[in-house]
Amino acid sequence: QVQLDESGGGSVQVGGSLRLSCTASITIGRITNMGWYRQAPGKQRELVARITSGGKTDYVDSVKGRFTISRDNIKNTGALEMNSLKPEDTGTYYCNAEVTEGTGRTYRYWGRGTQVTVSS
């Protein structure tokens, strides 16, 4: 019923930029919150940025001023603009979406991830 697909990852040098995209294919339901998580090898997954259906955003301190999260509620897509990338930004980035179905119940869905590598 719901599938999330990320794209836009790649390998860049320090100070470079990348734009990650998330496309949600939904048969029934609506997306409430969307977010981006990342996980580096040997480390726990962390929330990078999130955005509500109304456009309210939140960021982890380490990316504030460098990353920008956005969404299109009609197309059911999301994006994460990443600028001034640092080596510590390296990791697998996952799109997350909370979907409320007709029953009123909310479920969390995850994309399969896209790799981001930042080197000097």
Side-chain angles (χ1 to χ4, degrees), residues 8 11-19 66 81-85:
S11 180
V12 299
Q13 295 183 344
V14 172
S17 300
L18 285 173
R19 182 181 186 275
R66 300 189 298 118
E81 298 279 355
M82 305 186 296
N83 300 311
S84 301
L85 286 165

Side-chain angles (χ1 to χ4, degrees), residues 44-65:
Q44 295 182 334
R45 183 189 302 175
E46 68 171 342
L47 174 65
V48 178
R50 60 186 176 187
I51 183 170
T52 68
S53 59
K56 182 180 179 181
T57 60
D58 192 19
Y59 302 89
V60 66
D61 289 342
S62 62
V63 308
K64 288 183 178 178

Side-chain angles (χ1 to χ4, degrees), residues 18-83:
L18 285 173
R19 182 181 186 275
L20 306 183
S21 297
C22 177
T23 299
S25 299
I26 303 176
T27 303
I28 300 176
R30 61 183 179 86
I31 300 175
T32 52
N33 301 315
M34 293 188 70
W36 289 91
Y37 291 74
R38 68 185 178 190
Q39 185 171 25
K43 296 184 178 181
Q44 295 182 334
R45 183 189 302 175
E46 68 171 342
L47 174 65
V48 178
R50 60 186 176 187
I51 183 170
T52 68
S53 59
K56 182 180 179 181
T57 60
D58 192 19
Y59 302 89
V60 66
D61 289 342
S62 62
V63 308
K64 288 183 178 178
R66 300 189 298 118
F67 291 11
T68 301
I69 187 172
S70 62
R71 64 185 291 174
D72 187 320
N73 293 335
I74 297 177
K75 297 181 179 180
N76 282 331
T77 59
L80 182 68
E81 298 279 355
M82 305 186 296
N83 300 311

Side-chain angles (χ1 to χ4, degrees), residues 90-113:
T90 294
T92 302
Y93 284 70
Y94 300 89
C95 178
N96 167 257
E98 295 178 357
V99 179
T100 299
E101 300 181 350
T103 59
R105 298 181 64 181
T106 298
Y107 301 88
R108 171 173 287 185
Y109 295 91
W110 296 89
R112 296 179 180 179

